[in-house]
Structure formats: structure tokens, C-alpha cells
Amino acid sequence: MDQEAKRLIQENFSKRFACKSQISARFYDHLFELMPDAKNLFTNDAVVQKEMFATMLATVVRSLDKPELFKSVGQKMAESHARYGVDTRGYGLASTALENALCDVVGDDISPEELAAWKGAIDRLTSLMAPPKSEDT
């Protein structure tokens, strides 16, 4: 990911930081539309879960300039999600849910370049989190 993409994401997120709870709420709305069974995996209070997601999103954005931290955050998230059996398909759907949530909340106030940068960062994170593909598939 190049410096310009990182800058776009960080500036975009800093403008939207106050909306992080809305982004989080819309993320879960989209995730449960795409993966209805995933709702059963969430035993935390919905408000607590959304706040945890918003905090993690902020942590990921802040770590974009620190490759080792970004990798560490991705690995910790992978370990956490592996306990729930999240697979490559699930990460793909979660990526789509986050992209849709961003578009819902910021609407026309996100440029195509900013959206492309977000997609790149989301793809980079999910590639760290997704289990390796077996050679049998």
C-alpha cells in the first residue's frame, strides 16, 4: 500500500471518527444480511460488540504507517476469529459489509480514490487474517 493510499484512509477516517459507531452499526447490519448465521456467533451485548469493532477499526487505521504493528494487529484478529471458524468466504463477506457500511455512512462524501484506498487496506488486512488456502482446493 503506498503512502498516498494510507494518507487518504487516515484523513478520511479522522473526518469520520465521530461516525465510527454508525459505521460499526451499519457493518453489522450488512454482515448479518450477507451471513445470517453469523449472528449466532455474537454473544456480547450488541452495543459492546459495535464499540469493540469501532475501536479495532481505529487501531487498524492508526497502524497503517507501522507495518509490523499492522501485521501484529491482523494476526491477533486472525487468532480471535479462527476460534469462531471464520473462513476465507467469511472474510470476503465481512470486507463487503465494511465497504458498504462506509458508503452508507459517508455517502457521496467519499471520493473514488478514498474508496479504492479503503478497499486496498481492507484486502490487505483480510489477507493477513484469512486462513491459508490448502493445496487441495
Side-chain angles (χ1 to χ4, degrees):
M1 172 175 289
D2 67 19
Q3 287 302 112
E4 178 62 10
K6 292 175 190 176
R7 184 191 66 75
L8 283 171
I9 292 167
Q10 290 170 335
E11 286 180 6
N12 182 271
F13 190 72
S14 68
K15 289 190 292 189
R16 314 288 188 279
F17 189 75
C19 301
K20 70 184 186 320
S21 62
Q22 290 172 287
I23 294 169
S24 182
R26 291 301 298 146
F27 166 78
Y28 285 106
D29 291 343
H30 286 291
L31 183 67
F32 298 148
E33 286 172 15
L34 295 168
M35 296 174 51
D37 291 344
K39 198 168 196 171
N40 298 329
L41 298 174
F42 295 91
T43 57
N44 284 339
D45 177 281
V47 172
V48 171
Q49 185 65 40
K50 290 172 187 173
E51 186 58 37
M52 287 178 8
F53 178 85
T55 299
M56 185 53 64
L57 183 60
T59 300
V60 167
V61 169
R62 283 192 299 270
S63 73
L64 287 172
D65 286 340
K66 302 169 186 94
E68 289 303 314
L69 178 59
F70 185 85
K71 184 177 179 181
S72 175
V73 169
Q75 289 170 337
K76 287 178 184 172
M77 290 173 65
E79 291 167 8
S80 172
H81 288 82
R83 290 190 292 253
Y84 300 103
V86 179
D87 59 12
T88 303
R89 178 183 173 275
Y91 286 118
L93 293 173
S95 295
T96 299
L98 180 52
E99 291 166 19
N100 291 343
L102 285 166
C103 289
D104 287 352
V105 174
V106 299
D108 293 336
D109 198 24
I110 189 167
S111 72
E113 295 82 13
E114 288 171 321
L115 188 55
W118 272 104
K119 287 181 180 186
I122 293 165
D123 289 346
R124 188 170 153 224
L125 181 63
T126 56
S127 72
L128 288 172
M129 295 172 62
K133 294 179 181 176
S134 73
E135 294 182 24
D136 296 336
T137 57

